[in-house]
Amino acid sequence: MSKLYDKNAKLELINRIGFKEHFKADSWEDFNKKFFDGLAPKYDALNEVLSLGQHKRIKKKAAQRLEILPNTKILDLCTGSGDLAIQIAEKNPSCEVVGADVSEKMLEIARERGKHLKNLEFKVGDALNLPFEDNAFDVLTIGFGIRNMADLEKGLEEIKRVVKAGGKFTTLDLGKPKGWFLNFIYRIHFLTIVPFLGKTIFHRGEFNSFKYLPESSKHFPAQERLVELFELHGFKNVKNYNYMLGSIAQQIAVV
Ligand SMILES: C[S@@+](CC[C@H](N)C(=O)[O-])C[C@H]1O[C@@H](n2cnc3c(N)ncnc32)[C@H](O)[C@@H]1O
């Protein structure tokens, strides 16, 4: 497993970019919460810029690919401001949708955005210690959240616990494009443009949080490795779908 995913590299990275000093955070979980609480008011605008206006279209396509059945129960984990949960609840009125996240501030925005939906609720919940019974859901989705888990493998075990056997799991996140030219463009975007935008438009205090995104990409497994990791953890029929030339990727698996 360690060859596919090194959680120590991630912790070392977070120390290096100065999160301890800036966030006064003692643990990865604490950092995550403070980071996303602070980002919440700007998060939706930032998403538009970073994805070149494409993120909603891609989330919609990703949700369609799941082929959700009527009257099922869906958990959108790391739900943030609720994009995926809201889209799924709107499209599937007979389904019960729950969005869970560690950031109260993100959830406040999600609740406001989803208040017209009766089949949707938002709850505080840590992906590594979910406040749900075993086999509580038929489908579990994660949009741009799996890379934030302090311990990806523990997160996968929690997913298997709360999703019924035969249910579906999907994650959509940044991927790595293939070929030197695409990789070059991708690296320019993430190593120069993203930190620049972060610093000039979305900067908070003295800490440029946007160093985290490109740096964390270096340590996060590419889509092919993620497929292997999911298979090693017993997920079945794991499929990968690329968007924007592989700079975003979705995996769908049977639990
Ligand atoms: C990049 S945002 C993605 C939000 C949303 N899913 C989307 O696609 O726009 C990542 C979210 O994961 C949440 N998060 C990070 N670690 C988490 C954890 N251990 N458990 C639950 N949520 C977590 C953050 O608070 C944040 O809202």
Side-chain angles (χ1 to χ4, degrees):
M1 303 278 174
S2 54
K3 269 187 258 150
L4 292 171
Y5 173 68
D6 179 2
K7 69 178 170 192
N8 293 325
K10 186 185 217 174
L11 292 174
E12 185 273 324
L13 155 76
I14 289 302
N15 284 331
R16 187 153 48 79
I17 64 174
F19 87 108
K20 267 196 179 151
E21 296 75 27
H22 184 77
F23 289 97
K24 311 268 178 289
D26 301 322
S27 64
W28 172 271
E29 286 76 11
D30 200 18
F31 158 72
N32 245 324
K33 202 182 143 5
K34 288 180 174 162
F35 176 63
F36 283 106
D37 272 352
L39 190 61
K42 299 167 183 168
Y43 180 72
D44 288 327
L46 175 72
N47 251 345
E48 287 294 323
V49 177
L50 294 187
S51 72
L52 312 170
Q54 295 299 303
H55 75 108
K56 287 233 167 78
R57 181 186 65 79
I58 293 170
K59 284 169 183 163
K60 192 171 168 195
K61 180 73 195 158
Q64 276 169 1
R65 280 209 153 110
L66 274 176
E67 297 175 350
I68 290 170
L69 297 173
N71 304 308
T72 50
K73 211 169 162 190
I74 297 127
L75 173 63
D76 182 41
L77 193 51
C78 303
T79 194
S81 56
D83 269 353
L84 255 179
I86 292 169
Q87 277 189 10
I88 292 172
E90 278 173 347
K91 271 268 163 224
N92 302 275
S94 70
C95 294
E96 217 180 296
V97 183
V98 179
D101 201 285
V102 279
S103 163
E104 283 277 9
K105 297 275 180 228
M106 284 290 217
L107 290 176
E108 272 171 28
I109 294 170
R111 285 191 186 104
E112 182 59 29
R113 293 179 62 211
K115 66 182 177 198
H116 59 293
L117 291 160
K118 295 220 165 11
N119 60 335
L120 172 64
E121 65 173 324
F122 290 102
K123 287 187 174 166
V124 175
D126 181 352
L128 303 188
N129 186 18
L130 286 169
F132 304 110
E133 306 265 300
D134 295 0
N135 306 315
F137 297 95
D138 302 284
V139 177
L140 189 147
T141 61
I142 306 181
F144 302 93
I146 204 165
R147 69 174 46 237
N148 298 306
M149 289 183 192
D151 186 340
L152 178 53
E153 290 168 338
K154 192 167 173 210
L156 293 179
E157 291 311 312
E158 271 298 83
I159 291 167
K160 291 188 76 171
R161 182 182 70 75
V162 300
V163 179
K164 292 173 190 159
K168 278 186 189 168
F169 160 56
T170 193
T171 166
L172 179 71
D173 213 303
L174 298 177
K176 291 189 178 136
K178 271 209 171 128
W180 74 266
F181 181 68
L182 288 178
N183 236 298
F184 177 68
I185 303 284
Y186 172 82
R187 287 175 72 84
I188 291 198
H189 182 63
F190 276 106
L191 295 180
T192 57
I193 298 173
V194 169
F196 173 75
L197 287 174
K199 201 168 178 163
T200 51
I201 307 178
F202 300 100
H203 192 36
R204 296 196 313 118
E206 309 83 51
F207 181 79
N208 182 2
S209 305
F210 294 89
K211 278 185 193 164
Y212 168 66
L213 191 60
E215 285 283 339
S216 73
S217 295
K218 288 187 200 160
H219 299 283
F220 191 66
Q223 45 269 58
E224 296 80 15
R225 299 284 83 75
L226 272 184
V227 168
E228 282 180 58
L229 189 68
F230 297 156
E231 284 169 346
L232 272 171
H233 276 267
F235 290 85
K236 297 182 265 305
N237 207 9
V238 188
K239 297 222 161 54
N240 181 71
Y241 302 93
N242 284 340
Y243 303 86
M244 294 179 82
L245 304 168
S247 58
I248 293 180
Q250 174 185 22
Q251 293 81 41
I252 301 184
V254 174
V255 177

